[in-house]
Amino acid sequence: FKSGVVRLCHTGISVYVSLKDGHLIVFSRTAVGDWDTRDPAEIITNLPGSIVTSMAVVESDVWCACRDRLLVITKGGTFVKKSIVVGSDPMAKVSYIACIGVCVYVAMESGGVLHCYHAYSHECLFSIDTMASVAQMLTGCDTIIRQHKINCLRITALESFRGLIWAGTSAGVILTMQNLPTITKSTTAREVTETPQPQASYNGHTGPVRFITATERLKRIGKAGGGPDTKSQDTLSRHSTSDLPPSASSSVQNTPLHGGGGGGVGRA
């Protein structure tokens, strides 16, 4: 590459690469299943010089964040089939994308609001304001520091994991979006009557949350042959536990890991 890599998105049949010079390219497999690394295709975003800041696989598409827009590309495809403008401020920028089912959660570069878009209708279903939950967690802080963090609040990390949305903030507070509404392929914004309320985690940072990554903590009990095993094995993995042999009794604990200013790496 002539420019640095900003983001990667792997779909199984292709790899999308966002570059610092604003180019978005895609590598695909050859007829025999090998990766064609010599001749990647370039995707025309019609936003020259604008960097794709985030990407996510959503159902059969790849969603890309570029400037104030969400660009929808068919998985494995090389053209933008839909461009969605987020908000009314053309100077605003989409910074993060995370998805659960047919819901695409979007965070802007400034502000503490999450927007939820429908993967098929591309309609904004609802928005979640995190300010009240963050302010409540900062009640014990010095008044000036608390006010400054609230005034400068923005989403700095976003991750989806096992039916939950995790959001890290510039205030160091980590939030989970629980009790999310049930959204189907035909759900409209008019049918969503309740907006989820973010819940703050007591584990956080004094500075901005830099990342949140989803993990599974697997504790196996028993041997594959059925005999007792007094030792337990703990592993951390981003992979699904569905590949475990059925004869192995297992329990899985969801463990998001996060890192940020003034606290290193921790578990939420």
Side-chain angles (χ1 to χ4, degrees):
F1 301 137
K2 295 181 180 180
S3 181
V5 175
V6 178
R7 288 288 185 273
L8 296 171
C9 182
H10 182 259
T11 69
I13 59 175
S14 55
V15 175
Y16 290 82
V17 183
S18 167
L19 302 178
K20 286 185 178 180
D21 59 9
H23 287 87
L24 178 61
I25 59 177
V26 55
F27 292 93
S28 302
R29 293 184 184 274
T30 64
V32 296
D34 297 328
W35 289 104
D36 182 4
T37 58
R38 295 185 178 183
D39 189 26
E42 182 175 353
I43 298 174
I44 306 302
T45 63
N46 292 321
L47 298 169
S50 298
I51 301 173
V52 172
T53 54
S54 183
M55 294 184 283
V57 177
V58 182
E59 297 289 290
S60 60
D61 296 324
V62 175
W63 285 50
C64 305
C66 187
R67 225 160 62 187
D68 64 333
R69 300 170 186 266
L70 296 170
L71 308 178
V72 183
I73 305 168
T74 301
K75 189 187 299 183
T78 57
F79 68 94
V80 176
K81 69 176 185 179
K82 183 73 174 181
S83 179
I84 307 166
V85 178
V86 181
S88 57
D89 183 3
M91 300 305 293
K93 294 182 180 179
V94 180
S95 54
Y96 298 101
I97 301 175
C99 68
I100 293 179
V102 298
C103 293
V104 184
Y105 292 86
V106 178
M108 306 302 288
E109 189 177 56
S110 59
V113 178
L114 281 175
H115 305 284
C116 176
Y117 282 82
H118 197 285
Y120 291 92
S121 68
H122 304 148
E123 179 185 19
C124 184
L125 299 175
F126 58 86
S127 297
I128 303 173
D129 194 342
T130 64
M131 182 173 291
S133 298
V134 172
Q136 185 176 4
M137 281 299 293
L138 298 177
T139 302
C141 293
D142 176 83
T143 304
I144 296 177
I145 294 176
R146 178 175 180 268
Q147 194 60 45
H148 173 73
K149 287 190 173 186
I150 293 175
N151 291 340
C152 300
L153 183 64
R154 67 186 192 280
I155 304 296
T156 56
L158 194 64
E159 179 68 73
S160 61
F161 187 49
R162 287 189 176 270
L164 296 178
I165 289 290
W166 295 78
T169 66
S170 56
V173 178
I174 297 172
L175 304 168
T176 58
M177 315 301 154
Q178 301 182 10
N179 301 318
L180 299 173
T182 301
I183 305 296
T184 67
K185 290 183 178 181
S186 60
T187 301
T188 64
R190 187 175 298 179
E191 296 174 285
V192 181
T193 57
E194 294 185 4
T195 301
Q197 296 301 314
Q199 297 184 7
S201 169
Y202 286 99
N203 295 315
H205 301 269
T206 56
V209 179
R210 300 300 183 187
F211 71 87
I212 301 175
T213 185
T215 65
E216 291 177 349
R217 188 171 186 269
L218 171 63
K219 187 173 183 179
R220 296 182 181 179
I221 304 174
K223 295 181 179 179
D229 186 359
T230 57
K231 296 182 179 180
S232 63
Q233 179 182 2
D234 291 342
T235 61
L236 286 173
S237 173
R238 287 187 63 102
H239 302 290
S240 171
T241 57
S242 60
D243 296 332
L244 289 174
S247 56
S249 175
S250 63
S251 59
V252 178
Q253 178 183 357
N254 302 333
T255 310
L257 297 182
H258 53 84
V265 178
R267 294 181 181 177

